[in-house]
Structure formats: structure tokens, C-alpha cells
Amino acid sequence: MFQPANSSTPIDSATDQPTWTTPASSESPVARHAKNAEGVHEIPRYLTDHYWWAYVHPRAIWVFERQWLADGILWGNYRRLRDAGLNELGAALPGRTLQVASAYGDFTPALAERAAAGGGEIDVIDVLPLQLENLKRKLSPDAPVRMTRMDSAALDFESESFDRAVLFFLLHEMPDQWRRRTLSETLRVVRPGGRVVIVEYAQPSRWNPLRYLFAPVLAALEPFALDLWRNDIREFLPKGAKIDGFTRRRLFGGLYQVVSFEIRG
């Protein structure tokens, strides 16, 4: 047990059961969920429907929390992508950094080292207690990391309260409404002049054989991932989003992208 910040509810190691239901009204599921999630800690239905095997089931961590497997899933590019995202944030990270959702592998421990080097701190949020407890086991006792159970589509943080935010292979797992709401919330909580970094899938170049071989795999296992092949990430940002210095670096024949931009005041 450990007590999350900004919540009076302790994180429990037991697996939660979903209570989310489609509303009878015309209100969108994500909007209804965002209202209900505050203080209730519902698990979004897309997780229980599509990703129970990877994140929700108690045995998922035993299967997937292996650094070699994380590297294999990303075709040997885990460390390269981890470091590319971290380098966009900086070598030393003062102030407050938000990591939107936990991740398998050593991304957060590496991020924590950079926060420690800058005298800063990290908030990691995730809607699954199982994943937060897994992360706690990966961190050193003195890591400057606070873990909070929270839905990325309904962040319980004050606006402009973070110096930067990072999303590491999260957006491709979300249906469109959750992805848009997550990005909107992320931009809301980062201060003007702060940076947002996104590491994600992208559509490979035409000469990359994975463009044709990997697409059916993603379609079967990651039903929302091909949205990131078909659309520029900027299309999912809120209308009129105030951003500057948008850059996108493509890696491994275009299969991956590292996106970075600043929030404009």
C-alpha cells in the first residue's frame, strides 16, 4: 500500500472491476467517464475490452515486465526511443515533470535520474493500481517520483502546474475520444514555455517492409494504433492549441516518431 498524491484513496493491489457503462443520453462516453472518474477511479472500458491481456490481468506484469521483451516488441529500438524522448526533455530536469501513464521497461527510472540531476520531481499517473505498484517496484526508494491513480482524460491537477510532460507509447492504445481528451488535458496542465514530448508509432516509409507486414498485427492487437499511421498527431490536439516549435523525428524507417513542442502563452 502507498498513498497517492491528490487523493484520499489508497492504491490497492487488487484488480478492479469495470463499472463503466454507456450512457443513455447523447453525452459522449469519454465525457461521462471523465465526470464519474473523479473520486471513483473507474477503469475505462477500452482497457478492459481490448487490453486486459497486456495491462489489466494480474499476470500481465509477470509476462510483459521484462526489458528484453519490451525491446523485442519495438523491434530492438526500445533504448533508442527511450533516449530520444528523454533527450527532447533535457539532460537535467528541474521543476515538475508529468509522465502520462506508466510504461513497461525502464523509461521511468531513466526519467527519474534526469529529474534527480536537475533537482526536480516527477508525477506519474495511471488509472490501473496494478501498474502503479509495478512501477514502485522498479524505482529506487529515493527516486523523486510521486505516483497517483488518475485517468489521463481527467487530470486532477491545476492548470499550468507542470514544466513539461511526456507520453511514451500511450496514444496508440486509445480510442479517438480518449486520445483527444488526454492531449487536451496534458496541454492544459503544462505551463506556457513548457515542453510536451510524445513517443509513438507512425506510418513507415514505403520501402520499409514493416509497413505491410506489421499493419495486420497492429490491427489485431492494437485496434486504435493505425490512427497514428493515418493522421498527424497535431490532428488530435484541441482546436486552436497554442503550441510553438513543433518537431517530429522519424526512426526505424518511419515506424516510430518522436514529437516535441512548446506551449505558447
Side-chain angles (χ1 to χ4, degrees):
M1 289 272 190
F2 61 100
Q3 187 76 17
N6 302 324
S7 172
S8 59
T9 304
I11 293 176
D12 196 295
S13 59
T15 302
D16 288 27
Q17 295 298 317
T19 58
W20 182 93
T21 56
T22 303
S25 71
S26 60
E27 187 175 40
S28 71
V30 68
R32 175 63 178 267
H33 173 85
K35 290 179 181 178
N36 290 344
E38 186 175 357
V40 177
H41 302 306
E42 293 185 49
I43 299 176
R45 188 167 178 176
Y46 77 86
L47 281 173
T48 57
D49 283 353
H50 300 289
Y51 295 105
W52 60 268
W53 55 274
Y55 302 110
V56 182
H57 194 282
R59 297 288 285 177
I61 290 170
W62 182 86
V63 174
F64 290 101
E65 189 54 84
R66 304 170 191 272
Q67 191 63 46
W68 64 266
L69 182 56
D71 197 46
I73 290 171
L74 295 176
W75 302 94
N77 288 278
Y78 184 96
R79 289 172 177 79
R80 185 183 181 195
L81 291 162
R82 176 200 64 194
D83 292 346
L86 293 174
N87 290 340
E88 288 292 332
L89 293 169
L93 304 176
R96 297 185 70 190
T97 301
L98 172 65
Q99 180 182 330
V100 185
S102 183
Y104 289 130
D106 63 1
F107 181 84
T108 308
L111 181 64
E113 289 180 4
R114 299 196 179 206
E121 58 183 8
I122 301 168
D123 283 89
V124 181
I125 65 100
D126 201 293
V127 76
L128 295 171
L130 194 72
Q131 293 298 325
L132 289 172
E133 292 206 353
N134 177 52
L135 175 59
K136 183 182 180 183
R137 289 190 290 268
K138 294 191 289 184
L139 295 169
S140 64
D142 60 346
V145 179
R146 179 169 44 245
M147 290 163 279
T148 309
R149 187 178 182 191
M150 195 180 298
D151 191 332
S152 63
L155 295 179
D156 188 23
F157 293 120
E158 295 292 330
S159 298
E160 302 181 7
S161 56
F162 288 91
D163 296 286
R164 64 195 67 82
V166 59
L167 299 87
F168 187 76
F169 284 101
L170 171 66
L171 298 179
H172 73 279
E173 297 174 339
M174 295 177 154
D176 183 77
Q177 291 186 54
W178 254 272
R179 186 184 304 121
R180 293 178 184 275
R181 181 67 178 256
T182 292
L183 285 170
S184 178
E185 283 288 275
T186 300
L187 269 61
R188 177 183 67 81
V189 302
V190 176
R191 64 169 177 79
R195 181 163 297 277
V196 176
V197 173
I198 302 168
V199 183
E200 261 302 343
Y201 285 107
Q203 188 174 64
S205 305
R206 292 186 181 278
W207 55 263
N208 189 333
L210 291 178
R211 179 186 176 103
Y212 312 99
L213 298 175
F214 196 42
V217 175
L218 282 180
L221 298 179
E222 307 268 16
F224 313 111
L226 294 182
D227 289 352
L228 277 299
W229 285 37
R230 302 184 186 106
N231 302 284
D232 188 302
I233 277 180
R234 283 170 288 192
E235 296 183 26
F236 301 113
L237 296 179
K239 185 176 181 180
K242 297 180 179 180
I243 65 172
D244 280 326
F246 182 94
T247 63
R248 180 174 58 189
R249 180 184 174 194
R250 305 290 290 272
L251 299 170
F252 199 58
L255 180 59
Y256 307 113
Q257 58 182 323
V258 179
V259 168
S260 179
F261 55 84
E262 289 187 357
I263 304 299
R264 186 172 72 244

